Amino acid sequence: MDQPVKQNVAEIAVSNRKTLVIPLLIITIGTGWLLTTLNIVPGLNWIWILGLAIIGLLSFAVSGLDKSSVLIGPFFLIASSLSVLRQSGYITLDVEVPILVIVVGCLLLVARSKSIPFPQWMALDTEKRKAE
């Protein structure tokens, strides 16, 4: 008899998070399209805005909370929000870019925290080097 293949709980969790990518992407594109069609927020480049936001959300969904997602996730979410403000005329590109530079610096400081774990891909790399 064939024995069922046992998967590690961590592998199952990562696999489940990765299956979120396509449905979330479709939902966000549809939401932006609907908001533009209904003239709720016309004149915004929703593909760009929602693309930035989905990258930010997916960084957490795919890798969980680690040093890379703490940097990537909030950066893209904030970039998406600032893009809405710029496209709506509330801020200019001259204001948006310096804010993003400040945000990157702050997020790099947060990512240095010892309480935030290294990403799995980095930990695996370190373990391989130690074994050699």
Side-chain angles (χ1 to χ4, degrees):
M1 282 191 142
D2 291 332
Q3 292 183 355
V5 177
K6 293 184 180 180
Q7 281 187 313
N8 184 343
V9 174
E11 290 174 354
I12 294 170
V14 169
S15 174
N16 286 341
R17 286 188 295 225
K18 287 181 180 179
T19 60
L20 288 173
V21 175
I22 298 298
L24 288 177
L25 185 59
I26 291 170
I27 290 168
T28 53
I29 290 171
T31 301
W33 188 355
L34 180 63
L35 291 172
T36 301
T37 301
L38 295 175
N39 286 324
I40 294 172
V41 188
L44 296 180
N45 185 349
W46 283 106
I47 300 285
W48 175 254
I49 293 167
L50 294 174
L52 291 173
I54 213 63
I55 290 170
L57 292 173
L58 287 177
S59 72
F60 289 115
V62 171
S63 68
L65 184 67
D66 59 31
K67 289 188 183 294
S68 66
S69 67
V70 163
L71 176 65
I72 294 169
F75 175 78
F76 279 101
L77 292 171
I78 292 168
S80 175
S81 301
L82 290 173
S83 184
V84 169
L85 292 174
R86 181 179 41 80
Q87 291 181 38
S88 299
Y90 290 105
I91 63 172
T92 63
L93 188 62
D94 294 342
V95 173
E96 181 182 12
V97 173
I99 291 173
L100 288 173
V101 171
I102 293 167
V103 165
V104 166
C106 292
L107 292 171
L108 284 169
L109 285 174
V110 170
R112 293 186 72 230
S113 171
K114 292 181 181 181
S115 63
I116 301 172
F118 282 96
Q120 285 185 343
W121 57 267
M122 189 178 283
L124 292 174
D125 230 14
T126 309
E127 290 171 9
K128 285 180 185 177
R129 281 190 223 137
K130 287 180 182 177
E132 292 176 349

